[in-house]
Amino acid sequence: MPNRSGAPHDDPESLPRHGESYFCDRERRMLARLLAEGPKVVATGGGGFMNAESRSQISEQGVSIWLKADFDVLIRRVRRRANRPLLQTPDPEGALRKLIDDRYPTYALADVTVVSDDGPHEMIAAKTMQTLMPYLDVHPVPQARPAATEEGIS
């Protein structure tokens, strides 16, 4: 969720200082506020979708999309930054595998799943739109073909 909204993510000490339940409760309340404001894209982060109340709110007011990545992709991503409190352990790979085991069954409840890899963000965004359109029953309008001219007709 965006830092501008006062997300718990803007304070790296929030989780260690207040605990995971405090952090998740703040995230849940913020999500409810954002959803009530009207249509928008909200990235909940890893734990946001785990809360049953949040999942219900998303289901009632929006569409959930899981950007599914395998372990190797995720570990490369999280190694670039040291801001993942749940991975600040002596065994971050083991902690990530446990998170995957614990969370993926719940993530699979999302309305739409898009496989995410190491490609550019624009490619993942395009794949997401391609996957989302049939779910929303949106069909691209075919582009009109130029009319045949007499010169082109034999």
Side-chain angles (χ1 to χ4, degrees), residues 141-147:
V141 177
Q143 293 185 348
R145 292 186 178 173

Side-chain angles (χ1 to χ4, degrees), residues 1 6 12 22 25 27 37 42 47-48 56 65 71-72 76 80 107 111 114 122 130 137-138 143 152:
M1 287 190 230
Y22 170 84
D25 186 57
E27 193 171 49
E37 291 174 357
V42 178
S56 177
I65 302 170
F71 173 83
D72 292 331
R76 280 193 297 274
R80 290 183 227 154
Y107 293 171
D111 298 315
V114 177
E122 296 82 6
Q130 288 172 335
D137 199 26
V138 175
Q143 293 185 348

Side-chain angles (χ1 to χ4, degrees), residues 17-130:
R17 183 177 27 219
H18 300 291
E20 189 173 0
S21 63
Y22 170 84
F23 183 89
C24 292
D25 186 57
R26 267 186 79 193
E27 193 171 49
R28 181 194 51 75
R29 286 182 285 133
M30 185 182 333
L31 177 62
R33 181 177 54 83
L34 290 171
L35 288 170
E37 291 174 357
K40 62 178 58 67
V41 174
V42 178
T44 63
F49 197 69
M50 295 302 295
N51 180 282
E53 186 178 336
S54 293
R55 280 194 313 279
S56 177
Q57 289 173 334
I58 292 168
S59 177
E60 291 169 11
Q61 299 177 40
V63 176
S64 55
I65 302 170
W66 176 23
L67 299 179
K68 182 180 182 181
D70 66 21
F71 173 83
D72 292 331
V73 170
L74 291 174
I75 199 69
R76 280 193 297 274
R77 289 178 183 170
V78 299
R79 281 185 177 147
R80 290 183 227 154
R81 295 184 181 162
N83 65 345
R84 300 290 181 171
L86 297 178
L87 299 180
Q88 302 304 312
T89 70
D91 180 17
E93 289 86 358
L96 180 58
R97 287 188 193 282
K98 179 164 179 15
L99 286 170
I100 287 171
D101 290 345
D102 292 348
R103 293 180 174 186
Y104 275 25
T106 301
Y107 293 171
L109 299 173
D111 298 315
V112 175
T113 299
V114 177
V115 176
S116 178
D117 53 27
D118 286 329
H121 296 305
E122 296 82 6
M123 187 178 78
I124 301 304
K127 282 171 59 173
T128 301
M129 292 303 296
Q130 288 172 335

